Amino acid sequence: MTLCAACRGRPHCRPCSSPSCNPRTTDGCWWGACRRGRPPPGRWQLPGGSAEPPADHERLDEAALRRHAARELAEETGVDTAPHELRLWAVTRGRRGSTGVYFRAPARPASVLAERFMAAVAAETALGREPEFAETALVRSPADLGTLPGSHADYLEIVLRRYAHRPDDSPERA
């Protein structure tokens, strides 16, 4: 049985929830990022990560996943967004039983997203740390994924396809 590191080997945590946040530009593009050194390096994906296991007295509910997604978005891209500003958009089941929880961030101009990302990279580098993401790209559809160098997370095409067909903010479960 494979467990993620965040679960610390607790069997009840499998499958894991992975909250991700989908930053968007004001002109309708999604903003994806490419991993630098962490596994798998060179892979395009959305900001996010495995949910931290809750303390014994806390629940792993939508509010906790929303807080986690906001924290990951800020840490990985420099885009600060209050958890209450994130909207639940989709829930998916991965090939190995993991659950993906996708939140939509408020749309921002592409120049603001790029500026915040570059500031986050500079801050991490100044501290002697390697930023999690090497670069970012704007994409509108699954067809745009073919223009990116390297591989992409298996969920990315599915999420982009849904966005192309349903650009509104209403949540959907899959």
Side-chain angles (χ1 to χ4, degrees):
M1 178 195 288
T2 304
L3 300 171
C4 76
C7 292
R8 298 187 196 119
R10 293 188 220 164
H12 70 278
C13 289
R14 185 72 173 147
C16 292
S17 293
S18 298
S20 295
C21 192
N22 306 328
R24 297 172 295 142
T25 63
T26 51
D27 66 349
C29 288
W30 277 36
W31 191 52
C34 183
R35 284 230 176 254
R36 186 179 298 269
R38 293 183 178 203
R43 183 176 84 162
W44 291 89
Q45 62 186 66
L46 297 172
S50 297
E52 301 294 327
D56 290 334
H57 64 284
E58 296 177 3
R59 296 172 46 132
L60 182 59
D61 57 9
E62 184 179 332
L65 293 172
R66 189 183 311 272
R67 286 189 302 273
H68 181 80
R71 185 180 72 245
E72 290 287 335
L73 180 62
E75 288 175 1
E76 295 178 352
T77 68
V79 177
D80 288 315
T81 304
H84 72 273
E85 293 182 282
L86 301 179
R87 294 192 51 160
L88 178 63
W89 187 69
V91 177
T92 62
R93 171 90 47 204
R95 290 182 206 153
R96 292 180 277 187
S98 62
T99 303
V101 182
Y102 302 93
F103 292 94
R104 298 268 301 265
R108 293 182 171 89
S111 60
V112 170
L113 294 174
E115 177 184 297
R116 291 184 183 173
F117 176 71
M118 295 307 295
V121 167
E124 288 292 305
T125 302
L127 293 171
R129 298 189 297 230
E130 187 173 353
E132 286 192 48
F133 289 117
E135 60 184 303
T136 62
L138 299 175
V139 293
R140 284 192 188 279
S141 72
D144 292 343
L145 292 176
T147 66
L148 300 175
S151 64
H152 57 80
D154 59 357
Y155 66 80
L156 198 52
E157 183 174 351
I158 296 165
V159 171
L160 282 170
R161 193 176 316 118
R162 284 188 186 163
Y163 178 71
H165 293 301
R166 298 180 54 259
D168 65 340
D169 280 337
S170 59
E172 176 182 315
R173 295 188 185 267

